[in-house]
Amino acid sequence: MTLGFWDEDGNTSREYNPGPHESLFGLAAGLIEEKHDSNPRIAAEHELEEECQMRGGKWYQLTERPLAMDKYDTTKIYSYLAIDPKTVENPRPLDEEEDIEIVSGVSVEEILAMIKRGQMNLVGGCACLLAIEKLRELGEI
């Protein structure tokens, strides 16, 4: 599950990715766990709070059905966009292994450049492109 959010500050995040062993820009993302009752939207709401210290806003599912990770993996990706979520004073804690930095003031052009330069993982890049398309459709950008 991936989640992008949009507000007037133009926030994204940078997180250590153990696979490539580097910090990459991206979106809040996580697994759908038992605590989410197998509901991807609940998982997305929890990740927004844990990783971005935000809650609420107007939500959009970005694809008609989940995307397959690739042809060899059974992982399904659900992508959401939350517009104008609000900061939470006492958010859910990060998972112990997570090292996430919120980066403010990032423009759409900068996000596109990050994707092109390989500074974002594939799943986050795909979700960003879907979110940008939705924001254009809604007249937000």
Side-chain angles (χ1 to χ4, degrees):
M1 177 279 311
T2 59
L3 164 72
F5 74 91
W6 181 258
D7 64 10
E8 67 276 357
D9 295 330
N11 294 317
T12 189
S13 65
R14 185 179 5 227
E15 178 177 8
Y16 176 72
N17 287 232
H21 192 59
E22 66 178 313
S23 289
L24 296 171
F25 291 97
L27 303 176
L31 299 174
I32 302 166
E33 303 173 55
E34 281 185 35
K35 67 183 178 182
H36 307 127
D37 295 324
S38 300
N39 185 321
R41 169 68 186 267
I42 292 172
E45 290 172 1
H46 286 193
E47 291 300 322
L48 178 65
E49 185 174 334
E50 291 170 13
E51 296 187 1
C52 305
Q53 297 88 43
M54 306 200 77
R55 185 184 302 149
K58 182 153 178 136
W59 285 71
Y60 296 91
Q61 186 169 331
L62 296 175
T63 58
E64 294 176 16
R65 63 182 200 149
L67 302 176
M69 176 78 99
D70 66 28
K71 68 181 183 177
Y72 296 108
D73 197 321
T74 59
T75 302
K76 294 181 180 172
I77 307 298
Y78 297 81
S79 296
Y80 295 92
L81 171 65
I83 297 179
D84 293 326
K86 303 297 178 213
T87 301
V88 176
E89 296 250 349
N90 295 305
R92 295 171 183 273
L94 287 171
D95 294 334
E96 194 172 301
E97 74 281 357
E98 291 178 316
D99 180 16
I100 299 173
E101 169 194 4
I102 302 298
V103 182
S104 296
V106 181
S107 68
V108 169
E109 292 76 21
E110 288 171 306
I111 289 172
L112 293 172
M114 289 173 190
I115 295 168
K116 289 178 184 176
R117 289 190 301 255
Q119 295 175 309
M120 189 176 289
N121 66 39
L122 183 62
V123 173
C126 177
C128 280
L129 294 173
L130 289 168
I132 290 167
E133 179 182 10
K134 186 65 173 179
L135 289 165
R136 286 183 175 143
E137 176 186 312
L138 295 169
E140 294 281 338
I141 56 173

